[in-house]
């Protein structure tokens, strides 16, 4: 996972991210547990790790939403937002989240609205307002730089020309 993330960050090549996301398999709640550990220490993790977490979560954005609610509620005590929580709010795909988990998105928006109502920071208000309003409107994706995960990884090869199907096994 970290190798794929570093390759994307350093070489601006998301093929390894695609290989990892496509070939890693999670059983039951495996994705939830993996992301919970991968995002541990959320306040100190890098933006690259947040981007990778979003790519791994893929269509299961409720996992990210629940992690964010827990972080804001338990760690930040519903008083402030930090840089990473604002960054994640900017990166979440609202359309996909609303389409697949509307009730979880509403829960997240309720928490965000409650925390931001007393905020004096214009940046916080702008990001949260955009997020809360964007849940029911079409979010602009032109300003988002997201990891692109290819659905078909058959054409993806590593630098030696080998198939990338074993990438997930090498990243532990």
């Amino acid at each position: 996972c970290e190798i794929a993330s570093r390759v994307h960050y350093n070489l601006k090549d998301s093929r390894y991210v695609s290989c990892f996301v496509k070939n890693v398999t999670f059983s039951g709640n495996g994705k939830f547990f993996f992301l919970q550990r991968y995002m541990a220490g959320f306040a100190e993790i890098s933006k690259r790790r947040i981007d990778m977490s979003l790519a791994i979560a893929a269509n299961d954005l409720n996992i990210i939403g629940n992690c964010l609610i827990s972080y804001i509620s338990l760690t930040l005590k519903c008083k402030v937002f930090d840089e990473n929580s604002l960054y994640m709010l900017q990166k979440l795909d609202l359309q996909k989240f609303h389409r697949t988990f509307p009730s979880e998105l509403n829960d997240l928006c309720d928490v965000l609205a409650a925390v931001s109502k007393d905020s004096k920071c214009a940046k916080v208000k702008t990001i949260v307002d955009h997020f809360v309003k964007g849940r029911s409107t079409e979010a602009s994706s032109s300003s988002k730089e997201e990891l692109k995960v290819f659905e078909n990884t058959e054409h993806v090869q590593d630098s030696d020309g080998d198939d990338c199907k074993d990438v997930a096994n090498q990243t532990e």
Side-chain angles (χ1 to χ4, degrees):
C1 184
E2 281 301 306
I3 292 169
S5 176
R6 286 186 184 130
V7 167
H8 173 72
Y9 179 76
N10 293 328
L11 303 177
K12 305 296 184 224
D13 185 352
S14 63
R15 291 180 297 168
Y16 284 97
V17 172
S18 298
C19 273
F20 178 80
V21 170
K22 180 79 173 170
N23 291 302
V24 70
T25 56
F26 297 103
S27 60
N29 291 329
K31 188 183 285 191
F32 170 77
F33 291 121
F34 176 82
L35 284 171
Q36 193 174 35
R37 291 186 66 120
Y38 188 67
M39 293 173 57
F42 186 74
E44 290 87 31
I45 66 173
S46 67
K47 306 292 186 267
R48 183 182 72 205
R49 189 171 270 205
I50 293 172
D51 290 339
M52 191 67 180
S53 298
L54 289 168
I56 293 167
N59 291 327
D60 297 322
L61 292 175
N62 61 322
I63 296 171
I64 299 293
N66 290 334
C67 288
L68 199 52
I69 288 173
S70 295
Y71 177 69
I72 292 169
S73 301
L74 301 174
T75 306
L76 300 178
K77 308 285 188 219
C78 290
K79 294 183 180 180
V80 295
F81 294 101
D82 64 359
E83 185 178 331
N84 280 351
S85 57
L86 291 174
Y87 181 79
M88 182 163 290
L89 289 175
Q90 290 175 307
K91 292 294 185 167
L92 274 171
D93 184 341
L94 287 175
Q95 292 174 335
K96 187 188 302 182
F97 202 163
H98 188 265
R99 207 172 37 251
T100 54
F101 300 100
S103 64
E104 284 87 348
L105 178 61
N106 287 334
D107 294 344
L108 178 57
C109 288
D110 291 344
V111 169
L112 297 175
V115 174
S116 68
K117 72 178 177 185
D118 296 329
S119 177
K120 293 177 179 22
C121 178
K123 180 180 179 183
V124 167
K125 288 226 180 256
T126 301
I127 291 171
V128 172
D129 285 348
H130 174 73
F131 188 86
V132 172
K133 289 177 185 172
R135 68 179 158 179
S136 59
T137 62
E138 218 171 271
S140 169
S141 62
S142 61
S143 64
K144 293 182 183 177
E145 182 180 323
E146 298 176 356
L147 289 177
K148 296 201 178 7
V149 178
F150 299 110
E151 293 299 319
N152 182 1
T153 57
E154 293 172 7
H155 69 283
V156 181
Q157 295 181 341
D158 67 16
S159 59
D160 297 331
D162 295 330
D163 192 280
C164 67
K165 292 188 191 289
D166 293 327
V167 170
N169 297 331
Q170 299 171 7
T171 58
E172 250 186 75

